[in-house]
Amino acid sequence: MKSILIIGGTGKTGRRIARRLEAAGQPVRTASRTGADAPFDLDDPSTWAPALDGVTAAYVVEPDLRSTVDREARIPRFVSAAVDAGVRRLVLLSAYGVGEADDGHPLKAAERAVMCSGVGWTILRPDWFSQNFSEGPWLQAIRTGTLSLPTGDGRTPFVDAEDIAEVAASALTEDRHSGRTYRLTGPRAVGFGEAAELIGRATGRVVRHVDVDPGVFTERQASAGVPEDVAHLLTGLLVAVRSGRGATVADGVERALGRPPRPFEDYVAETAAAGLWS
């Protein structure tokens, strides 16, 4: 039976995509370094062929921009290997702003490779994930009560990973998404201060956002082991929020699914009820 391969199948979007496809009776193979159906490492091409065996559609994601191993080349190489192995549909998780980024952006080459692959493709460009507050880099800060980011009073339309997963699952199984690029956002732009306040109210705790100098933030990232170019890239994305760029709401979720995106408030209520900030 032919399979749909989910790279990063244990991650924020991957596990949600796999859950949806399995519930619909689709044959799914998750791939990740640990905990998935197939051991997989973008840095190790020897793991690619077993993961791709019998696969006709693949969800492709860059699992770690902090990797120092040929970041710009490894997804293009994997895309080429996937097409050679018989994959005929590719869905790439990219990021907001990649279309306008210069060629040094590590996901720029990935988008180009997918678009030029010769098979059906869909590119997803999500805004900041709502789940970054509960599953990602900001979780510990929320738990301690202080979220320090160089975002000032800027706002951004956080997108729910559940919406991203639903769009991806549809793109992996339906021809109507072929050749499309979707910018995925929530229904309104939310400031980090407001986000912290909403989370605090839902959890009954004091949670605050503190603006931090961009240079200080970059130094902190580098001290934590983030490669210098990635630290500067991350800081630049957050400073873009501070300056008002990227606050525009996009219609990608509605175009792909025929419904509006999930509000940030719904994400907060559900996450608080699940006790993920306890």
Side-chain angles (χ1 to χ4, degrees):
M1 197 173 188
K2 301 300 183 183
S3 292
I4 300 172
L5 179 67
I6 310 296
I7 302 300
T10 60
K12 279 198 287 288
T13 59
R15 71 177 189 274
R16 289 175 166 88
I17 297 166
R19 184 176 68 238
R20 278 174 168 75
L21 293 174
E22 288 166 351
Q26 296 284 351
V28 177
R29 179 181 302 151
T30 58
S32 184
R33 288 178 178 172
T34 59
D37 300 326
F40 181 88
D41 187 342
L42 268 179
D43 291 340
D44 182 2
S46 70
T47 65
W48 299 356
L52 288 166
D53 184 35
V55 167
T56 55
Y59 177 71
V60 182
V61 58
E62 169 55 76
D64 187 7
L65 281 175
R66 295 171 299 177
S67 172
T68 57
V69 182
D70 216 0
R71 284 196 305 270
E72 288 187 45
R74 58 189 192 161
I75 285 184
R77 288 173 182 162
F78 174 75
V79 165
S80 179
V83 173
D84 288 345
V87 171
R88 291 296 172 261
R89 179 177 287 152
L90 294 163
V91 177
L92 174 70
L93 182 68
S94 186
Y96 167 69
V98 173
E100 297 77 37
D102 59 37
D103 286 342
H105 194 295
L107 289 174
K108 190 80 169 184
E111 286 198 1
R112 188 181 302 114
V114 167
M115 290 178 176
C116 298
S117 63
V119 301
W121 58 266
T122 307
I123 292 175
L124 311 182
R125 293 178 181 159
D127 213 287
W128 293 96
F129 290 22
S130 298
Q131 278 73 11
N132 283 343
F133 291 100
S134 55
E135 301 175 26
W138 307 329
L139 171 58
Q140 190 56 35
I142 293 297
R143 285 177 171 168
T144 60
T146 302
L147 179 65
S148 299
L149 296 171
T151 48
D153 295 326
R155 298 177 299 125
T156 193
F158 297 105
V159 61
D160 197 303
E162 297 288 353
D163 283 346
I164 300 170
E166 189 171 340
V167 173
S170 182
L172 285 163
T173 55
E174 299 179 37
D175 292 336
R176 64 189 178 90
H177 302 286
S178 185
R180 293 182 179 269
T181 297
Y182 295 115
R183 183 184 169 215
L184 306 177
T185 75
R188 73 179 183 93
V190 177
F192 280 81
E194 182 186 359
E197 182 181 342
L198 288 168
I199 293 169
R201 191 182 307 154
T203 57
R205 296 186 293 109
V206 175
V207 182
R208 64 194 185 109
H209 165 248
V210 175
D211 188 35
V212 63
D213 178 80
V216 171
F217 182 79
T218 301
E219 290 175 4
R220 288 177 182 173
Q221 296 300 302
S223 297
V226 177
E228 184 176 355
D229 62 332
V230 177
H232 282 288
L233 173 63
L234 177 57
T235 301
L237 293 171
L238 291 167
V239 169
V241 174
R242 177 204 289 260
S243 65
R245 299 193 302 273
T248 305
V249 172
D251 64 353
V253 172
E254 190 148 15
R255 284 197 297 122
L257 302 178
R259 64 161 178 81
R262 189 181 187 209
F264 185 75
E265 291 84 350
D266 288 4
Y267 153 77
V268 170
E270 183 178 300
T271 303
L276 295 183
W277 287 308
S278 299

